[in-house]
Amino acid sequence: RGVWVDCFWPHIKNTTIQSCFLPYLYPNHSTMKFSDISKPSSDLLGNDYCSNVTLKAKGLSAGPVSVSVETERSAAGTLSSKIGGKFAYAGLNFDKLEANADGSNVLETSLVPCPGCKMTFKAKKGADLGLEYTAGKMTTTGSLDVLNMSKFSTSACIGVSPAINLGGDLSYNLSGDKAGLSSYNVGASYATGPMFASVTTANKFAQFNVGVLYKVNKDLSLASSTTHSSAKACNVAAIGGSYSGLGSVGTIKAKVGSNGVTSACLVKEIAPKVNLTASGSISGTDTSTFKYGLGITM
């Protein structure tokens, strides 16, 4: 978006001008999936925090196959690795081929039969056949459990304006004692200037989740996540922020959860295409609960 936009966008009061520029600042904002309707705030509060030690090597080439290797160290000091790859052949994309140390495997493929339409297949413990279709400002998805034929899920999201998205999802159990409609929820998001806000329902409208992201300036962003239900009018699930104005130090993030756990992390590029993430968390002031995480991605 650039420094000019970050500095001057908050001061543009004319909503017509904002409506003209917003699609360029958020180019995918009006064609998102419903599962991404709260993504800006949830990403700031959720991404980069970790409590394990990992080393990831991505983008390794083996002919037409892009290979990745990830090694993780457990609390006991043992190492476990998984190797993955992706490639395309005859229009079929093998988005993930993964072999894990415990013997399990993951397969994800996709196919684009026509513009705006993507068919997917994902197999891990189960097997799901999916469809994503985008037309104009509306994106719909569908997923069917083809292994047990037990569940069908669908969602839709439409950009009613450059700043507003509305959507919903539902799931239907196809077999067993719980056959029938198992879940249904709706949501909306709104973006204007430096602010983003979203509201989604959960547990069949029994709970409302509110996410807010505010970009104070080009370096500092703040976010919060709250839940609201009849049992508790307001529960602050998490509140935190991100600051990247320290130059070579990197990006610092911190948050506090409703469970009293305070977390912080540092994300820094220590060499070209080599990123370091150092994270730590503690419950209240009890030092015995301190946990740390360290990750290197190259």
Side-chain angles (χ1 to χ4, degrees):
R1 290 165 50 183
V3 175
W4 187 93
V5 171
D6 287 322
C7 291
F8 293 99
W9 178 258
H11 304 290
I12 298 177
K13 305 300 182 181
N14 189 307
T15 56
T16 301
I17 296 177
Q18 289 186 350
S19 298
C20 292
F21 279 97
L22 198 60
Y24 299 96
L25 302 180
Y26 305 96
N28 299 318
H29 194 70
S30 295
T31 54
M32 66 173 64
K33 294 187 289 185
F34 178 70
S35 59
D36 294 332
I37 203 164
S38 302
K39 186 176 175 64
S41 56
S42 61
D43 277 0
L44 190 146
L45 293 171
N47 288 357
D48 301 319
Y49 297 99
C50 61
S51 59
N52 50 10
V53 178
T54 60
L55 173 64
K56 299 179 184 179
K58 303 189 299 182
L60 306 176
S61 296
V65 182
S66 177
V67 179
S68 62
V69 179
E70 180 177 345
T71 301
E72 179 178 336
R73 193 192 74 174
S74 69
T78 59
L79 299 178
S80 62
S81 298
K82 57 184 178 183
I83 183 170
K86 61 179 181 179
F87 65 96
Y89 178 75
L92 178 63
N93 299 307
F94 291 84
D95 301 312
K96 179 184 282 189
L97 292 166
E98 186 176 274
N100 297 302
D102 59 5
S104 62
N105 301 295
V106 179
L107 170 65
E108 295 183 6
T109 64
S110 63
L111 176 68
V112 180
C114 61
C117 180
K118 182 168 75 171
M119 300 180 65
T120 62
F121 177 76
K122 298 180 180 181
K124 192 175 181 181
K125 294 181 179 180
D128 297 318
L129 183 64
L131 177 68
E132 299 176 10
Y133 183 70
T134 299
K137 296 181 179 180
M138 186 171 185
T139 297
T140 57
T141 68
S143 178
L144 175 65
D145 174 10
V146 294
L147 180 63
N148 301 310
M149 298 301 292
S150 61
K151 186 177 182 180
F152 171 75
S153 302
T154 185
S155 74
C157 188
I158 183 171
V160 297
S161 77
I164 301 175
N165 286 274
L166 302 175
D169 65 3
L170 64 85
S171 297
Y172 192 91
N173 290 331
L174 301 174
S175 61
D177 297 335
K178 297 183 179 180
L181 196 61
S182 58
S183 70
Y184 47 87
N185 293 290
V186 297
S189 68
Y190 177 69
T192 179
M195 175 167 282
F196 171 88
S198 65
V199 180
T200 58
T201 65
N203 302 326
K204 300 180 180 179
F205 293 89
Q207 177 177 300
F208 288 84
N209 305 320
V210 178
V212 177
L213 173 69
Y214 182 75
K215 192 172 182 63
V216 180
N217 53 46
K218 65 184 182 67
D219 298 319
L220 178 63
S221 296
L222 303 175
S224 68
S225 175
T226 59
T227 61
H228 309 266
S229 65
S230 58
K232 192 169 184 179
C234 181
N235 175 51
V236 181
I239 184 169
S242 171
Y243 185 70
S244 57
L246 298 177
S248 60
V249 174
T251 299
I252 297 175
K253 299 176 64 176
K255 67 176 180 178
V256 179
S258 59
N259 55 0
V261 175
T262 301
S263 304
C265 68
L266 170 68
V267 182
K268 176 180 173 59
E269 186 178 44
I270 56 178
K273 297 183 180 181
V274 180
N275 292 317
L276 168 69
T277 301
S279 181
S281 65
I282 187 171
S283 179
T285 57
D286 185 359
T287 57
S288 65
T289 63
F290 177 75
K291 298 179 181 179
Y292 73 92
L294 185 65
I296 296 178
T297 303
M298 63 181 68

